[in-house]
């Protein structure tokens, strides 16, 4: 599991240089193809959204409710993952198009885009899987590796995981502020905290107003049908996003790191840490699309601001480079990775066997 | 009622705009920006062509001599460039025309001239610029152009002629060679017209004050509108200055002529990204050099795409040389240079 020690400094440098070269080649090739790709995705997403909302208005007819809810769920998933997540990473900033710009895009989620860009783009992507710095590591809620301390409450963590899956967008929204500290230590609250909470409240009210008040009211006698459809669509999106993201970082074989690794970390070492902290899952084009290409979490962590639809082709080269240097490349089926995450959450819910906690799997 | 309906629609489509959905069916539609369909591209000379543009309902028309900032996509990247409207003064409906010269190696103009954009949708700014004719025409008017600088003056000529106000107008155009004369046929039609208080002359070669004085001996008694390449403008203004008539000349430039005292090496703080940089020239260039990618368009201070908040410090306007020390104001990065203590919200 410990790939970090095996590469010599020279190999590590050559490894970094090869990945840099791949990045450079892809960057210089960005253009019309990428812009066309994302605009097509956006058009499909909006058409699905319109279709879903329209079908839900006809939901006195049960198949229309099912189809409408499915279309709306798919549209929310595409909007959040292939469009929102990727645009907010600046993947399409090169196009100089205000509608594809990471600084102005707002996504269909209760988490304000600017806060997400801080907690996700900056903290999580820079300090991936570094203990104490990357708050995505277990989302301050779950024990996802042996080195984390166990408490009595940890015993119930499979339940927390289910709750997090169901409420995932709220988990993401509460993320940048560190809601736990905010609630537990009222005296530590800063103006910045309050501003961020205000941002979440404003964003969330508009989201709730749309999905749970206005659309249902417009449906008149079928208000409850529409409300239920919107609720289920949001729920499906939450669970799917949770599954994709947990498969990307917590299957067996992913590693975590001590903050010391950040001191003077080279390009090669950065790439190696990103590789060790991420995992892919395999599937067809539709699965990649519906996961916003986060099925290629490894490539995404190596090259976060490269348009994500490029990851499958880059992945073939990344894999070859990894094989050449003997660096592990963690991939599997979606089911296999999910199973592996579930097992890990269950296993770590139990108290560590004596001596186990002092020899963490990876340091 | 309409206001309520549109607020309701906005709440329903949040965080998208209503436009984002209408656009799927009609790419020309926008409730905010001027978009136009490229109806036709008509070759003029070996390196120039006229683009016929049909704008959407946001277009408010133009006065002869004004220009637009045109945004097109080149290899997936949106780029904005300025062009004078060459067709006669327009109201809000009807097509407009721009006439473009392909700059060798240019990113945008060769594509425009090639005709490849026929049928596509481009984005326009509203018309802007104060290189226009007065409400009350002067006693004698001189329209003087060099090369592709003919376009704003052609709009004036066409407008005046259509309105029958073309008496006491002298139009002199300089082209590199006879093959390079844009609008040649139309100009010769004007020149040959029976009713001829309007005088149209075309010359090839550089502007030379002496030969020009033979053509229009009393040129200093005219109000002049001048557009062309920088050496052409310099020669014309020198000729008028030599006869103490510099004030009668209005010029339109196709490129940014930076003010003389451009600051040297000031420090800039980009507050949001936490970066610091040093440099000379526009804040846009300094920001780009330090790895930031703020939106930009014309890079000439026209389109306002690059507008950004200055939190503090003193900047200099690169066009006028004017200093500004206001805090918390919007500035255009492309025409502002840092002088001291500048912090930008980027
Ligand atoms: C008011 C006005 C009216 C004009 N009217 C006409 C007209 O009627 N007909 C006509 O033919 N021309 C006109 N021009 C000139 C025309 O705008 C230029 O010829 C055109 O900008 C050249 O574009 P290009 O992309 O082909 O050339 P480029 O050489 O690619 O670019 C030229 C300009 O773009 C800027 N630039 C360079 N790199 C970048 C970058 N990476 N991103 C963004 N910008 C960059 C440069 O600063 C330079 O000013 C007018 C100009 C002005 C200011
Ligand atoms: S880029 Fe157009 S005004 Fe600055």
């Amino acid at each position: 599991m410990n790939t970090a020690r095996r590469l010599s400094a020279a190999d590590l440098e050559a490894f970094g240089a090869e990945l840099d070269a791949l990045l450079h080649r892809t960057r210089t090739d960005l253009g019309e193809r990428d812009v066309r790709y994302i605009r097509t995705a956006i058009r499909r997403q909006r058409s699905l959204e319109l279709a879903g909302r329209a079908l839900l208005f006809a939901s006195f007819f049960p198949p229309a409710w099912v189809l409408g809810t499915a279309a709306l769920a798919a549209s929310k998933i595409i909007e959040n993952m292939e469009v929102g997540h990727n645009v907010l990473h600046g993947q399409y900033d090169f196009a100089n198009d205000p509608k594809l710009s990471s600084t102005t895009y707002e996504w269909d989620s209760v988490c304000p885009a600017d806060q997400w860009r801080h907690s996700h783009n900056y903290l999580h992507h820079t300090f991936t899987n570094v203990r104490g710095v990357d708050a995505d590591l277990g989302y301050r809620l779950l024990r996802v590796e042996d080195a984390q301390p166990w408490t009595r409450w940890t015993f119930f963590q499979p339940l927390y995981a289910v709750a997090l899956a169901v409420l995932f967008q709220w988990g993401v929204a509460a993320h940048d502020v560190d809601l736990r500290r905010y609630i537990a230590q009222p005296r530590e609250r800063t103006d910045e905290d309050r501003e961020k909470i205000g941002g979440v409240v404003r964003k969330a009210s508009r989201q709730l107003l749309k999905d749970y008040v206005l659309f249902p009211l417009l449906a008149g006698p079928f208000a409850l049908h529409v409300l239920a459809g919107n609720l289920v669509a949001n729920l499906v999106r939450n669970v799917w996003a949770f599954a994709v993201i947990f498969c990307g970082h917590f299957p067996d074989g992913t590693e975590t790191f001590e903050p010391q690794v950040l001191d003077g970390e080279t390009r090669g070492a950065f790439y190696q840490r990103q590789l060790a902290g991420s995992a892919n899952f395999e599937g067809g084009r539709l699965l990649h699309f519906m996961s916003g290409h986060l099925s290629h979490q490894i490539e995404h962590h190596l090259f976060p601001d490269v348009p994500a639809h490029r990851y499958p082709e880059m992945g073939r080269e990344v894999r070859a480079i990894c094989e050449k240097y003997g660096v592990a490349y963690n991939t599997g089926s979606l089911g296999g990775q999910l199973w592996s995450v579930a097992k890990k959450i269950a296993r770590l819910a139990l108290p560590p066997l004596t001596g186990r906690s002092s020899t963490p799997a990876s340091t | 009622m309409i206001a309520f309906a549109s607020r309701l629609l906005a709440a329903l489509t949040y965080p998208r705009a209503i436009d984002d959905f209408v656009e799927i069916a009609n790419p020309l539609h926008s409730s905010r920006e001027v978009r136009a369909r490229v109806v036709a591209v008509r070759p003029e000379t070996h390196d120039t062509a006229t683009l016929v543009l049909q704008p959407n309902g946001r277009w408010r028309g133009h006065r002869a001599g004004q220009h637009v900032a045109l945004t097109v996509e080149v290899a997936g990247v949106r780029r904005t460039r300025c062009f004078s409207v060459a067709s006669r003064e327009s109201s809000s409906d009807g097509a407009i025309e721009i006439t473009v010269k392909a700059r060798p190696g240019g990113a945008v103009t060769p594509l425009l001239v090639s005709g490849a954009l026929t049928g596509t949708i481009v984005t326009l700014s509203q018309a802007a610029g104060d290189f226009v004719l007065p409400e009350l025409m002067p006693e004698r008017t001189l329209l003087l152009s060099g090369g592709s600088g003919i376009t704003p003056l052609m709009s004036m000529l066409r407008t005046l002629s259509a309105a029958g106000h073309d008496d006491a107008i002298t139009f002199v155009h300089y082209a590199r060679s006879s093959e390079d004369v844009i609008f040649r046929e139309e100009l010769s039609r004007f020149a040959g017209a029976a009713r001829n208080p309007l005088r149209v002359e075309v010359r090839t070669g550089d502007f030379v004050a002496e030969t020009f004085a033979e053509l229009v001996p009393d040129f200093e008694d005219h109000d002049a509108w001048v557009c062309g390449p920088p050496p052409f403008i310099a020669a014309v203004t020198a000729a008028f200055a030599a006869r103490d008539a510099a004030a009668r000349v209005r010029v339109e430039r196709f490129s940014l002529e930076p003010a003389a005292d451009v600051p040297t090496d000031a420090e800039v703080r980009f507050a949001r990204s936490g970066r610091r940089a040093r440099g000379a020239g526009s804040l846009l260039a300094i920001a780009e050099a330090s790895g930031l990618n703020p939106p930009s368009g014309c890079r000439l201070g026209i389109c306002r795409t690059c507008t950004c908040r200055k939190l503090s410090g003193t900047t200099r306007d690169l066009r006028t040389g004017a200093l500004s020390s206001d805090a918390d104001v919007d500035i255009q990065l492309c025409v502002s240079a840092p002088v001291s203590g500048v912090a930008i919200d980027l």
Side-chain angles (χ1 to χ4, degrees):
Chain A
M1 218 194 257
N2 253 341
T3 48
R5 291 202 204 101
R6 279 212 297 269
L7 286 189
S8 68
D11 275 353
L12 197 56
E13 197 182 324
F15 172 71
E18 290 205 30
L19 288 172
D20 271 344
L22 171 60
L23 172 61
H24 182 74
R25 267 202 308 284
T26 311
R27 275 244 170 85
T28 46
D29 187 47
L30 294 184
E32 205 170 327
R33 178 183 148 205
D34 305 273
V35 172
R36 205 177 324 121
Y37 174 85
I38 194 66
R39 294 217 178 104
T40 306
I42 290 174
R43 237 188 345 270
R44 288 195 184 141
Q45 180 267 320
R46 293 195 185 141
S47 310
L48 265 175
E49 183 171 349
L50 287 175
R53 302 275 187 202
L55 279 166
L56 278 174
F57 281 136
S59 57
F60 48 85
F61 179 54
W65 186 88
V66 174
L67 273 178
T69 304
L72 191 59
S75 129
K76 280 180 181 278
I77 286 170
I78 299 166
E79 198 282 337
N80 280 188
M81 305 187 82
E82 186 67 309
V83 182
H85 169 268
N86 292 338
V87 165
L88 289 173
H89 261 290
Q91 293 179 357
Y92 299 93
D93 281 1
F94 75 89
N96 196 22
D97 180 348
K99 296 213 160 151
L100 299 177
S101 155
S102 63
T103 51
T104 53
Y105 194 85
E106 187 54 82
W107 60 349
D108 186 11
S109 156
V110 293
C111 177
D114 57 337
Q115 292 188 27
W116 185 81
R117 279 166 54 219
H118 176 253
S119 68
H120 178 87
N121 283 13
Y122 174 59
L123 292 181
H124 168 61
H125 272 273
T126 316
F127 307 115
T128 311
N129 282 18
V130 174
R131 287 192 281 272
V133 193
D134 177 12
D136 281 22
L137 198 50
Y139 285 77
R140 300 193 183 97
L141 190 69
L142 302 178
R143 181 166 177 255
V144 288
E145 41 137 10
D146 298 270
Q148 275 174 296
W150 186 90
T151 72
R152 273 175 301 163
W153 298 108
T154 313
F155 190 69
F156 300 104
Q157 77 166 0
L159 292 178
Y160 310 157
V162 171
L164 183 59
V166 168
L167 298 170
F168 195 62
Q169 67 164 342
W170 297 95
V172 172
H175 205 43
D176 201 28
V177 220
D178 189 356
L179 207 56
R180 264 196 150 178
R181 170 178 58 77
Y182 189 83
I183 293 165
Q185 299 159 325
R187 246 174 284 148
E188 307 277 299
R189 293 177 190 174
T190 64
D191 283 346
E192 199 188 337
D193 287 340
R194 275 182 277 271
E195 213 173 279
K196 284 182 175 171
I197 300 257
V200 174
V201 170
R202 275 190 300 277
K203 177 84 197 284
S205 4
R206 300 187 73 169
Q207 292 288 107
L208 294 175
L209 179 73
K210 165 181 73 170
D211 278 343
Y212 301 125
V213 180
L214 295 180
F215 272 112
L217 280 182
L218 276 182
F222 309 111
L224 284 180
H225 294 71
V226 170
L227 187 120
N230 292 353
L231 191 71
V232 172
N234 275 313
L235 176 80
V236 169
R237 183 270 322 271
N238 282 354
V239 173
W240 176 243
F242 169 89
V244 167
I245 284 152
F246 271 61
C247 280
H249 288 302
F250 308 119
D252 264 331
T254 50
E255 296 177 31
T256 59
F257 303 87
E258 294 294 346
Q260 289 85 308
V261 299
L262 297 171
D263 297 337
E265 191 178 50
T266 61
R267 278 302 276 173
F270 171 83
Y271 281 137
Q272 200 187 22
R273 174 162 60 84
Q274 297 297 346
L275 262 156
S278 318
N280 286 3
F281 56 83
E282 286 151 17
R285 278 181 55 187
L286 186 64
L287 186 67
H288 291 312
F289 178 65
M290 292 308 285
S291 65
H293 288 89
L294 291 181
S295 45
H296 279 277
Q297 191 70 249
I298 293 178
E299 285 71 31
H300 178 53
H301 265 266
L302 297 174
F303 316 115
D305 59 358
V306 168
H309 74 104
R310 296 254 183 178
Y311 294 157
E313 64 194 53
M314 295 178 92
R316 284 188 281 280
E317 294 191 53
V318 171
R319 220 169 156 165
I321 295 170
C322 286
E323 258 159 40
K324 179 169 161 193
Y325 290 89
V327 175
Y329 186 97
N330 188 342
T331 182
S333 68
L334 174 61
Q337 300 287 49
L338 268 178
W339 180 238
S340 160
V341 174
K343 272 195 310 196
K344 185 187 259 184
I345 289 174
R347 176 173 65 81
L348 292 171
L350 300 174
L353 303 173
T354 11
R356 183 82 190 266
S357 62
S358 57
T359 53
S362 53
T363 10
Chain B
M1 189 58 204
I2 290 176
F4 174 76
S6 75
R7 284 199 55 185
L8 177 65
L9 267 178
L12 290 171
T13 53
Y14 180 82
R16 299 278 70 75
I18 304 162
D19 276 5
D20 294 330
F21 290 93
V22 183
E23 226 171 60
I24 304 177
N26 175 12
L28 196 56
H29 169 88
S30 169
S31 60
R32 290 177 308 111
E33 54 184 27
V34 185
R35 292 190 193 159
R37 186 178 297 281
V38 182
V39 181
V41 179
R42 202 171 57 223
E44 298 283 354
T45 69
H46 62 100
D47 62 353
T48 53
T50 293
L51 280 77
V52 184
L53 306 172
Q54 179 61 58
N56 66 8
R58 303 285 80 70
W59 175 246
R60 292 201 290 262
H62 85 286
R63 292 182 64 188
Q66 288 191 307
H67 59 265
V68 291
L70 170 93
T71 302
V72 292
E73 224 162 85
V74 186
V77 180
R78 280 166 68 101
R79 294 184 186 275
T80 304
R81 300 288 189 266
C82 292
F83 299 96
S84 304
V85 184
S87 51
R88 70 167 176 230
E89 208 146 276
S90 68
S91 53
S92 52
D93 47 358
I96 57 167
E97 296 181 1
I98 58 170
T99 298
V100 178
K101 175 177 163 170
R103 269 51 174 193
V108 173
T109 50
L111 176 71
L112 296 180
V113 172
S114 75
L117 294 180
T118 311
T120 63
I121 309 266
V122 298
T123 306
L124 298 180
S125 68
Q126 295 291 352
D130 44 20
F131 185 69
V132 291
L133 295 171
E135 292 296 324
L136 203 64
M137 286 299 288
E139 218 160 285
R140 286 194 280 178
T141 306
L142 187 60
L143 306 178
L144 201 50
S145 63
S148 60
I150 192 171
T151 50
L153 302 169
M154 198 63 189
S155 179
M156 294 178 179
L157 182 62
R158 286 164 164 168
T159 305
L160 292 169
S161 158
H165 291 160
D166 48 357
D167 37 322
I169 309 261
T170 305
F171 186 106
V172 185
H173 176 61
Y174 284 77
R176 207 178 301 143
S177 72
S178 59
E179 283 79 63
D180 286 301
V181 180
I182 308 173
F183 309 127
R184 179 158 43 175
E185 279 173 27
E186 194 177 348
L187 288 177
S188 58
R189 248 182 289 132
F190 276 121
R195 184 174 64 84
N196 234 345
L198 164 70
R199 185 175 164 210
V200 174
E201 302 280 349
V202 175
R203 290 287 175 273
T204 53
D206 288 341
F207 174 92
V208 179
E210 289 72 37
T211 50
F212 178 65
E214 286 165 21
L215 198 62
V216 191
D218 55 348
F219 66 84
E220 72 276 18
D221 293 333
H222 293 68
D223 279 300
W225 278 261
V226 181
C227 180
F232 175 84
I233 292 181
V236 171
T237 44
F240 274 80
R243 297 199 182 179
D244 278 337
R248 307 201 85 166
V249 184
R250 296 141 190 89
V251 301
E252 173 79 326
R253 294 176 194 282
F254 280 2
S255 52
L256 181 64
E257 200 92 324
D261 41 0
V262 181
T264 47
D265 186 33
E267 195 186 48
V268 187
R269 188 166 64 84
F270 296 106
R272 205 168 339 142
S273 57
R275 292 182 205 209
R276 279 170 191 281
R278 284 190 161 277
S282 75
L283 280 163
L284 182 61
I286 296 173
E288 285 170 349
S290 57
L292 296 166
N293 189 14
S296 70
C298 65
R299 306 171 84 88
L300 294 166
I302 293 162
C303 68
R304 300 195 164 265
T305 311
C306 64
T307 300
C308 199
R309 204 146 193 84
K310 178 181 83 175
L311 303 170
S312 63
T314 305
T315 51
R316 191 185 289 280
D317 188 313
L318 284 167
R319 297 162 298 183
T320 61
L323 291 172
S324 152
S325 306
D326 297 336
D328 260 327
V329 287
D330 283 336
I331 59 167
Q332 287 157 282
L333 296 180
C334 67
V335 288
S336 306
V339 177
S340 67
V342 174
I344 303 288
D345 185 26
L346 248 186

